[in-house]
Amino acid sequence: ANTPALRSFTRQGLGRRKELLGLWEAAEVDLKAAVEVSPGDPQALAALASHYLTQGRAAEALPLTEVAMRYEGQLETVDRVDVHRVRIGVLAALGMRKELETALVDLPVTQETWWSPYLKGVGQYILGDLDAAEAAFSDAGSLTGPAEVPDQMPGLAIAATRLRQQKWVEAAAAFRGLVDSAPLSRSQALGGLALVHAMVGDIPTALDGLDDALSVDPRDPWLHYMRGR
């Protein structure tokens, strides 16, 4: 049956595919239509909010996440986590620390997806609870698969947390391990390792590391920024 929920799901799918192609304006048309067709659909609301967040329009995303939270209880746990992911991203982008603390409490706890402990870690990292963040990222890493780029995010987050804690040896070891074990995230790991060298004053090694990272991903703007500093 051509129900509002099915029409909304179809428009969400179209919008997400257009986002992957970089067709942002066309994607927004579809994602807005998905919400209009089914205004109480938390996934449609979260998809449009995520689109706004990606475009640097977190203030526009915020009310959508607030409405989505009224309805997210109707979803399966993994899908609920995805709605919370968008909410946490929006609150972090807007610097809403008190609301972020509440969001971490509300976050569904599950072993079904690594996103649950990972998001907890992101929030704790932003709030400055770095030991708790590292523990949460470690929990997320234990739930990930071996090869996909997103599945390397917990490992990169652990390394970044150690860097922020000024645990130079531990941070370098974490980034170095990812250089070999996470080929799809190799440029980020090499860049992180170069940053460790820069922080301890070994600029020649840092520059060599950035050159290695740029040889893997010549278009990464952060690497170019670091290389030019």
Side-chain angles (χ1 to χ4, degrees), residues 24-217:
W24 299 106
E25 292 182 5
E28 188 168 322
V29 170
D30 284 313
L31 295 172
K32 282 182 174 178
V35 172
E36 291 168 3
V37 168
S38 186
D41 184 337
Q43 291 176 294
L45 290 157
L48 180 56
S50 180
H51 175 83
Y52 286 151
L53 181 61
T54 303
Q55 295 291 296
R57 297 156 63 186
E60 294 175 71
L62 181 62
L64 293 168
T65 63
E66 291 171 345
V67 177
M69 291 304 297
R70 297 179 201 159
Y71 299 103
E72 57 88 29
Q74 65 189 259
L75 300 172
E76 298 293 331
T77 301
V78 171
D79 294 327
R80 289 181 62 211
V81 170
D82 194 51
V83 173
H84 283 258
R85 175 185 62 79
V86 179
R87 179 193 186 196
I88 288 171
V90 169
L91 295 175
L94 294 173
M96 300 174 68
R97 294 177 65 89
K98 181 178 288 188
E99 292 82 357
L100 180 58
E101 290 178 6
T102 300
L104 295 182
V105 174
D106 294 341
L107 180 65
V109 177
T110 176
Q111 298 290 302
E112 296 179 59
T113 170
W114 61 270
W115 273 105
S116 179
Y118 180 80
L119 290 170
K120 181 80 74 175
V122 168
Q124 290 164 333
Y125 181 94
I126 292 169
L127 295 171
D129 191 351
L130 300 182
D131 289 336
E134 184 173 344
F137 292 141
S138 180
D139 289 343
S142 70
L143 299 175
T144 63
E148 297 179 26
V149 173
D151 290 351
Q152 307 304 331
M153 289 167 62
L156 288 167
I158 289 171
T161 302
R162 292 174 180 173
L163 180 63
R164 185 174 169 188
Q165 292 171 307
Q166 300 185 7
K167 296 180 178 178
W168 310 126
V169 174
E170 294 90 338
F175 282 123
R176 196 173 290 112
L178 288 165
V179 168
D180 298 325
S181 67
L184 296 178
S185 299
R186 192 165 186 264
S187 65
Q188 294 168 287
L190 285 166
L193 183 57
L195 183 56
V196 174
H197 288 301
M199 295 299 291
V200 299
D202 187 354
I203 303 303
T205 301
L207 292 174
D208 287 343
L210 288 169
D211 288 340
D212 289 342
L214 284 166
S215 71
V216 176
D217 187 356

